[in-house]
Amino acid sequence: MRHSTQFSVRQFHWLLKRFCKDSGSRIATLSALFLLACMSALAQGRQISGTVSDDSGAPLPNVSVRIKGTTTGAFTDGQGKFSFNVPNDTAVLVFSTIGYETQEMTVGSNTSLKVALKTSVSQLSDVVVVGYGSVQKRNLTSAVTTVNAKDFLQGGYNSPLQMIDGKVAGVTVSNPAAADPNRGTDIQIRGAASLEAGNGPLVVIDGMPGGDLRNIAQQDIESITVLKDASAAAIYGSRGANGVVLVQTKRGKSGDVTVTYDSYVEHDVVAAKPELLSPEEFLEKQRDQDRGARTNWYDELIRTNNFGTNQFLTVSGGTANSIFRLSGNYRSKTGIDIATERKEYGYRANFQQKALNGLLEFSGNLSQRIAKEEYTNYNAFQQAVKLNPTLSVMDPDNPLNFNTLQGYDTYNPVQDLLARENGADQNYSIVDMNVKLNILKNLSTEIKLARQGHEMLRREYYTSKSAESVNNNRLGRARLQSEKWTDYTLEWLGNYNTTIDKHDFSLMGGYSYQEFNNQAFWAENMNFISDGFGYNNLDDGSWNLEEGRLGMDSYKSKEKLIAFLGRLNYNFDNTYFLTASFRYEGNSKFGANNKWGMFPAVSAAWRISNLDVFRGSRVINDLKLRASYGVTGRSGFARYTSLARYAPYGRYLNDAGEWVRVYGPGNNYNPNLQWERAVAYNIGLDFVLLDNRITGSLDVFDRRSRDILGNYDVPVGAYLHEQMFVNVGTTSSKGIELTANWKVAATEDFSYNTNVTASYIRTKLVSWSNNQFQGNFRYLQNLPSPGNPGPAYRLDPGTELGSFYGYKYAGVDEDGRILIWKDGIEGKEKIVASSEGNADRDRTYIGHGAPRYELAWGNNFTYKGFDLSLFFRGRFDYDILNLYQMYYGLQAEPGINLLKDAYTRNGHIKSGKVITDYFLEKGDYFKLDNLTLGWSPKLHVKEIKNLRLYGSVRNVFTFTGYSGLDPTVVGVTGLTPGYGDLGVYPITRTFTFGAQVTF
């Protein structure tokens, strides 16, 4: 029998009055109260209970069970049980928890329900790839962040790393020339730490350490995972100190064959240009003579009809035992300048085959990518800023030839880019094979064999009309260089897991061997009969026929790495977690006394939300505290550095009149040379709040890098050379990182998700000496001539890496000469920089170029078939040395064009350039970096599973106080961050229009 609870307030009021009127006594009142209680119970409906488990039957605690469309419900207890009242039999219950697919069920006449939730396969973030394995995200014990393909920044990018710019807290992605299709991307994880051994992370592609990202089309990437702390990266030993980037490519899925076509076109427009004096203003200010022409040199270098296109096709499918995926890609792009161009095409194939009822599994990847690159010269844009705008591009006396300009650091930039060919043909390839033997359900072993190849033909030809030919009375110069890199990988892993009561154990052990080979050959010649052959007829040149000239060279190098590794994962009752790992590694680059090293790591986590006080909480759904410790290494220095090497000392005539190559000791060898050693601590908190609507993590880290590599002065006599490459210094990096995601709204037609990443990082040089080798300070980045202003940075123990070193600006005197504060102390005494300044006495630290704060804010909206994403990012608390203002913003710079600022904001300065904090500007900015609008119409065509059309704009607008072209084009990684170079490639705004269709 069914009971309806849909009883109106008016009906109840009428029934209560009538009942009381008929009774007229105290019994009537008591009866009325009883009736009210009955109606209240009737309104609450009846009780429903049940259990929730995963697809293997294990009970799931803390699952949200809610009546659809209401906030009424409960959470499952530690045994996966729940119980509460439902209003009627038509109520729909919604079961949801992290890592599992949401499920709905109508109550009906049931009083007890059994629900099994399926593991989520739509969100790969539920399973995170880590070094040599994977783990459920909710069980992580270290600082690991994964960005999936659906969350990548959209549009055309030159590097896959640009697609995660701002997506991972603590990761700095720097793009000084984002519009150059041949320019790579600089990435740095948790700050700079090394002086000579590199600051870039190790890249691992499909499990192969040292992978080359240039071999991957962006549509082939499934996810990018960043191992940030040492406990996660220690499994990669001497290459893990700068973090590890794991790239997983897409795999086929069993089922019907799926065909996907993805295409886009893109176009760049100049977003900002330097504000220079016009030819009329140039002459009015009497900057130089009128040469008769009216030339906008900057515009002469811009190609307004630039376009890029990307065509991508993939086919995938398979059965339960056989899975495949095959993709092909063609991409081309002409740069914003008149020289740059890139064309590339490639394919990628992977398969997975099971045999002997799953006892054996075979899988593999095969990929190849060919690229034809034409390069530009960034310094051509420096010339475009400073050249006399009354000079002509072509020779006024012979319009068929370029106007070859004379003078120190002066040349015709159009001639420089067009009167030559400067490019390369690249060929990238990867092949890997994996054989896995499933000995038992919980015991397996796997062998991986891989080869990565890269071949490059570097080609240059400077015609007889180029400046170097004209100025040196040559008839062309040709150069070819062939270089090849071949890497081999062999890895053997074993995995075992077992469960004993509430204890889960997973063990991994393995062996890794890698070999890296590099060899090259180059040849050049000059003075050709004709430009017609270019670099394809080297023996036609006469330059190498002269005595003592060879015009060729070759070299070869090899490196080997061997490692034994292991890891233990322990889970007690899904509450306490422990991970311990080690890597014992040897490398041929290290000194004879330090060939091998141990890299241990340990991390632990406690799921606080399993405490009884949080059971069933609607505010705290999951709360986990993490702590980790790890030792990693850094070994990005040149091969054979530790050995005693012989080096050529030129060619000399012997007594017989023959040219003989002379060799001698080339270095001070160091048998104790080893990797830089980084010891890091991390404390983190992962949280899921408010019915799984808010998720995120908070991390605090402290990384101390010891045995920093560098060249140190040593006494000649005891040593053959003045410097020696040794392990001495110590650096420190500390910071805080926050990642938060909020599902703001989710209805049938509309959804809004927002996410924030933020970080604070500071790095400093702790010490630069030990008992044997002493170092005080080191200058970096000498500013270019003319003027020789000196170095811009100084490294000193106790100071922040990337610290600017110069004079404190104190205004100008009556003659417009720059004044500085004596001894670098503001308020002490003003002196004239050019005549009274003393570099050793008056310079001091004036700022820092590494951003301490980084922030990114993503917003994603969907409404029916439309989607909109707005991605903002910014960097704060750092300085930029604006060389544009220093070199082209002062009236005292002779004979060149200037910025209009020379006569406005800098008009009071009449003297020449000096490194002072006057030219140091705040680099803080906040910008709308990516805006994408998409439409997925419902076509009701059986053959088309999905169609999406979209438009994307990159670099939409920027809020900043920086007076330069754009703060984002100033590099902020490495040891010289914030250096506003003069050779600034054009800043662009990119428009992309694309279509994605799945059949």
Side-chain angles (χ1 to χ4, degrees), residues 18-33:
R18 177 149 188 180
F19 186 83
C20 292
K21 181 179 180 182
D22 292 342
S23 301
S25 65
R26 182 177 295 178
I27 296 177
T29 304
L30 295 175
S31 300
L33 293 175

Side-chain angles (χ1 to χ4, degrees), residues 767-782:
S767 66
W768 211 337
S769 301
N770 62 14
N771 295 332
Q772 184 177 4
F773 301 99
Q774 303 296 314
N776 295 319
F777 58 82
R778 183 177 299 180
Y779 292 112
L780 297 175
Q781 195 63 60
N782 280 308

Side-chain angles (χ1 to χ4, degrees), residues 19 376 588 740 759:
F19 186 83
T376 188
S588 61
S759 64

